[in-house]
């Protein structure tokens, strides 16, 4: 399994953005990243910043900042989960949520909330991650 460092992950997104603007060929992974990057104009300024300063940046919630790289990584993680239907049932649950919300982007953000809740519960209670609760949360938001 690929486990990039923080800098490698940031450079992946920044290089994808750079290649996109230079109209250079993109890998499949870069194309997927760009699909989500282009849906977040609030981060364009960050993507256009010199990599050296971005690699050193600390996107702090306490400072009222959103970490664009964490956010985009969440999009990629959910897209991967849906594409391989892991955990089982996420593909169908996500499809129902997309249908209800009418927008895969909004639906993905709702899945983030369900994922965050499950991780929080796991850490708070010292229990294993519950795929069943994760899928159930997504289904509840889709009205099922």
């Amino acid at each position: 399994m690929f486990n990039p460092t923080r800098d490698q992950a940031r450079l992946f997104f920044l290089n994808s953005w750079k290649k996109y603007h230079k109209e250079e060929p993109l890998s499949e992974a870069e194309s997927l990243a760009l699909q989500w990057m282009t849906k977040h104009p609030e981060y364009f300024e960050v993507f256009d910043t010199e990599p050296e300063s971005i690699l050193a940046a600390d996107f702090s919630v306490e400072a009222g900042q959103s970490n664009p790289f964490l956010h985009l990584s969440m999009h990629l993680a959910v897209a991967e989960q849906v594409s391989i239907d892991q955990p089982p049932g996420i593909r169908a649950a996500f499809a129902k949520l997309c249908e209800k919300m009418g927008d895969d982007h909004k639906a993905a953000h709702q899945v983030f909330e369900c994922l965050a809740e499950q991780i929080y519960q796991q850490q708070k209670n010292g229990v294993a991650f519950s795929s069943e609760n994760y899928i159930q949360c997504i289904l509840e938001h889709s009205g099922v």
Side-chain angles (χ1 to χ4, degrees):
M1 179 171 275
F2 184 62
N3 189 18
T5 65
R6 182 185 88 158
D7 287 356
Q8 288 170 329
R10 288 181 179 192
L11 285 171
F12 166 74
F13 287 110
L14 294 173
N15 289 334
S16 298
W17 188 252
K18 184 177 179 180
K19 286 172 75 173
Y20 168 69
H21 283 285
K22 287 185 172 185
E23 298 182 2
E24 294 177 0
L26 299 169
S27 70
E28 188 175 330
E30 291 167 334
S31 292
L32 180 59
L34 257 299
Q35 288 176 18
W36 294 111
M37 292 173 82
T38 57
K39 292 183 180 186
H40 285 282
E42 69 274 24
Y43 299 144
F44 289 179
E45 185 177 326
V46 171
F47 304 149
D48 289 330
T49 304
E50 287 300 314
E52 296 77 28
S53 61
I54 292 301
L55 293 178
D58 181 28
F59 298 95
S60 166
V61 173
E62 293 78 23
Q65 298 174 310
S66 172
N67 184 329
F69 304 103
L70 175 60
H71 186 87
L72 291 166
S73 294
M74 292 286 289
H75 273 297
L76 294 180
V78 168
E80 177 71 7
Q81 289 176 346
V82 170
S83 76
I84 63 172
D85 198 30
Q86 184 60 34
I90 193 167
R91 183 180 296 144
F94 185 71
K96 288 176 184 167
L97 187 58
C98 288
E99 184 179 325
K100 178 185 180 194
M101 299 189 95
D103 183 330
D104 65 334
H105 190 215
K106 289 179 184 174
H109 283 215
Q110 185 60 60
V111 173
F112 295 177
E113 291 185 28
C114 291
L115 181 57
E117 176 62 24
Q118 291 313 306
I119 292 170
Y120 171 76
Q121 290 300 326
Q122 174 189 14
Q123 292 174 349
K124 177 183 168 195
N125 299 317
V127 297
F129 182 86
S130 174
S131 295
E132 290 177 18
N133 290 346
Y134 178 40
I135 301 301
Q136 186 58 41
C137 177
I138 297 167
L139 289 171
E140 287 172 4
H141 288 285
S142 66
V144 175

